[in-house]
Amino acid sequence: MNGTIYNTILDAKQRGHKMLAVLVDPDKGEPQAWTALAIAAATHKVNLLLVGGSLMVHHRLEECIRTLKAACNVPVVLFPGSPAQVTPLADGILLLSLISGRNPELLIGQHIQAAPALKKSGLEVLPTGYMLIDGGAPTTVSYITNTLPIPANKPEIAAITALAGEQLGLKLIYLEAGSGAAKPVNEAMISAVSTQVDVPIIVGGGIRNGEAAYKACKAGADVIVIGTAFEEQPELLAEIASAVKSESKVK
Ligand code: 1GP
């Protein structure tokens, strides 16, 4: 828990350098595909690998992390859908508090269950205000968490929710349209949030090409997350990585 990952994100934000994270769902793919993904991530200078999912049925989390780590040095950060998804094999964890919802289990309950294992793990903990934003269709994360997303045309709600999260001490804000969302988080919403808070902003869900990644960065995203686009078309990584880099002040 030495703060290395968070300091890297903060440092990048201060330098105006946008970051790219690839989400790996251990329920999907095989070790061969994870190895290829890790090699591609290293080649395109991906900054973080997020591993996890809101619903994991196959218990392949540790195998997935071992495979990724054997093939690249990109930091692996857990993106847990439940307290069961804590393993010391990763480098850090997004400790998600679902601040857009009113489900107490996801605001504090599961964190209490996970706390002892988390302390023992030695993982770097990144306290994150996780906010679901309507992406145009119901998503797995909305169904599983039993929470409603913030309407996409209400940037002011997102902005004050993020502000409250920052005031509570959360170190990152994650604007999530949901994996495979029909529409990514819109620029007005990202911009409203980034005007309101100083902490780094992660944006993911439904980003499928370089243009969408570029627009999100320009609106104020500090870290872009892609999952589905890479799973479906691995060749898109080059385009998206280049778009994220092109919106960085330091190239
Ligand atoms: C989901 O934000 C991530 O939690 C990534 O979404 O799979 O749509 O890229 P996609």
Side-chain angles (χ1 to χ4, degrees), residues 23 79 130 174 176 178-181 204-207 225-229:
L23 174 66
F79 179 52
Y130 190 48
Y174 192 139
E176 170 73 272
S179 192
I207 296 176
V225 182
I226 59 159
T228 306

Short mmCIF file of all heavy atoms in Angstrom, two decimals, residues 23 79 130 174 176 178-181 204-207 225-229, ligand 1:
data_model
loop_
_atom_site.label_atom_id
_atom_site.label_comp_id
_atom_site.label_asym_id
_atom_site.label_seq_id
_atom_site.Cartn_x
_atom_site.Cartn_y
_atom_site.Cartn_z
N LEU A 23 -9.80 -3.13 -19.46
CA LEU A 23 -10.51 -3.99 -18.51
C LEU A 23 -10.49 -5.43 -19.01
O LEU A 23 -10.87 -5.70 -20.16
CB LEU A 23 -11.96 -3.52 -18.37
CG LEU A 23 -12.86 -4.43 -17.52
CD1 LEU A 23 -12.41 -4.45 -16.07
CD2 LEU A 23 -14.31 -3.98 -17.61
N PHE A 79 -10.76 -4.61 -10.06
CA PHE A 79 -11.98 -3.82 -10.27
C PHE A 79 -13.10 -4.74 -9.80
O PHE A 79 -13.77 -5.39 -10.60
CB PHE A 79 -12.06 -3.48 -11.76
CG PHE A 79 -13.26 -2.69 -12.18
CD1 PHE A 79 -13.61 -1.52 -11.54
CD2 PHE A 79 -14.02 -3.10 -13.26
CE1 PHE A 79 -14.71 -0.79 -11.95
CE2 PHE A 79 -15.12 -2.37 -13.69
CZ PHE A 79 -15.46 -1.22 -13.03
N TYR A 130 -17.78 5.44 -7.34
CA TYR A 130 -18.20 4.78 -8.57
C TYR A 130 -19.60 5.28 -8.91
O TYR A 130 -20.52 5.19 -8.08
CB TYR A 130 -18.20 3.28 -8.32
CG TYR A 130 -18.37 2.38 -9.53
CD1 TYR A 130 -17.62 2.57 -10.69
CD2 TYR A 130 -19.27 1.32 -9.49
CE1 TYR A 130 -17.77 1.72 -11.77
CE2 TYR A 130 -19.41 0.46 -10.57
CZ TYR A 130 -18.66 0.67 -11.71
OH TYR A 130 -18.81 -0.18 -12.78
N TYR A 174 -15.15 7.46 -10.79
CA TYR A 174 -15.27 6.60 -11.97
C TYR A 174 -16.66 6.79 -12.54
O TYR A 174 -17.66 6.44 -11.91
CB TYR A 174 -15.06 5.14 -11.54
CG TYR A 174 -14.87 4.11 -12.65
CD1 TYR A 174 -13.92 3.11 -12.50
CD2 TYR A 174 -15.64 4.11 -13.80
CE1 TYR A 174 -13.73 2.13 -13.49
CE2 TYR A 174 -15.45 3.14 -14.78
CZ TYR A 174 -14.51 2.16 -14.63
OH TYR A 174 -14.33 1.21 -15.60
N GLU A 176 -19.23 5.59 -15.06
CA GLU A 176 -19.41 4.27 -15.70
C GLU A 176 -20.74 4.19 -16.44
O GLU A 176 -21.81 4.30 -15.82
CB GLU A 176 -19.39 3.20 -14.59
CG GLU A 176 -19.79 1.82 -14.99
CD GLU A 176 -18.74 1.12 -15.84
OE1 GLU A 176 -18.78 1.29 -17.06
OE2 GLU A 176 -17.89 0.42 -15.25
N GLY A 178 -21.40 1.48 -18.07
CA GLY A 178 -21.69 0.03 -18.07
C GLY A 178 -20.99 -0.64 -19.22
O GLY A 178 -20.90 -0.08 -20.32
N SER A 179 -20.50 -1.85 -18.97
CA SER A 179 -19.75 -2.55 -20.01
C SER A 179 -20.66 -2.82 -21.21
O SER A 179 -21.77 -3.30 -21.07
CB SER A 179 -19.21 -3.87 -19.45
OG SER A 179 -18.29 -4.40 -20.37
N GLY A 180 -20.17 -2.44 -22.39
CA GLY A 180 -20.93 -2.64 -23.61
C GLY A 180 -22.08 -1.66 -23.77
O GLY A 180 -22.99 -1.89 -24.57
N ALA A 181 -22.02 -0.53 -23.04
CA ALA A 181 -23.11 0.46 -23.10
C ALA A 181 -23.35 0.91 -24.54
O ALA A 181 -22.41 1.01 -25.34
CB ALA A 181 -22.76 1.67 -22.24
N GLY A 204 -15.49 5.11 -18.35
CA GLY A 204 -15.55 3.86 -19.09
C GLY A 204 -16.98 3.47 -19.43
O GLY A 204 -17.94 4.08 -18.95
N GLY A 205 -17.07 2.46 -20.28
CA GLY A 205 -18.38 1.96 -20.70
C GLY A 205 -18.75 2.48 -22.07
O GLY A 205 -18.97 3.68 -22.25
N GLY A 206 -18.76 1.59 -23.06
CA GLY A 206 -19.24 1.96 -24.40
C GLY A 206 -18.27 2.77 -25.23
O GLY A 206 -18.65 3.30 -26.28
N ILE A 207 -17.00 2.87 -24.81
CA ILE A 207 -16.00 3.59 -25.63
C ILE A 207 -15.45 2.58 -26.64
O ILE A 207 -14.78 1.61 -26.26
CB ILE A 207 -14.89 4.20 -24.75
CG1 ILE A 207 -15.51 5.27 -23.84
CG2 ILE A 207 -13.76 4.78 -25.62
CD1 ILE A 207 -14.55 5.90 -22.84
N VAL A 225 -11.19 3.87 -19.85
CA VAL A 225 -11.23 2.41 -19.71
C VAL A 225 -11.92 1.80 -20.92
O VAL A 225 -13.01 2.24 -21.30
CB VAL A 225 -12.00 1.98 -18.44
CG1 VAL A 225 -11.98 0.45 -18.30
CG2 VAL A 225 -11.42 2.63 -17.20
N ILE A 226 -11.25 0.81 -21.52
CA ILE A 226 -11.94 0.06 -22.59
C ILE A 226 -11.90 -1.43 -22.27
O ILE A 226 -10.93 -1.95 -21.72
CB ILE A 226 -11.33 0.30 -24.00
CG1 ILE A 226 -9.85 -0.09 -24.06
CG2 ILE A 226 -11.52 1.74 -24.43
CD1 ILE A 226 -9.38 -0.34 -25.46
N GLY A 227 -13.00 -2.10 -22.56
CA GLY A 227 -13.08 -3.54 -22.33
C GLY A 227 -13.62 -4.22 -23.57
O GLY A 227 -12.90 -4.88 -24.31
N THR A 228 -14.91 -4.00 -23.83
CA THR A 228 -15.60 -4.67 -24.93
C THR A 228 -14.93 -4.43 -26.28
O THR A 228 -14.76 -5.37 -27.08
CB THR A 228 -17.07 -4.20 -24.98
OG1 THR A 228 -17.64 -4.39 -23.68
CG2 THR A 228 -17.87 -4.97 -26.00
N ALA A 229 -14.55 -3.19 -26.54
CA ALA A 229 -13.95 -2.86 -27.84
C ALA A 229 -12.71 -3.72 -28.08
O ALA A 229 -12.51 -4.26 -29.18
CB ALA A 229 -13.58 -1.38 -27.91
C1 1GP B 1 -16.86 -1.42 -17.76
O1 1GP B 1 -16.06 0.76 -18.02
C2 1GP B 1 -15.79 -0.56 -18.31
O2 1GP B 1 -16.83 -1.43 -16.38
C3 1GP B 1 -15.52 -0.84 -19.76
O3 1GP B 1 -16.69 -0.85 -20.54
O4 1GP B 1 -16.62 -2.95 -21.86
O5 1GP B 1 -17.96 -0.99 -22.66
O6 1GP B 1 -15.48 -0.93 -22.73
P1 1GP B 1 -16.68 -1.47 -22.02
#
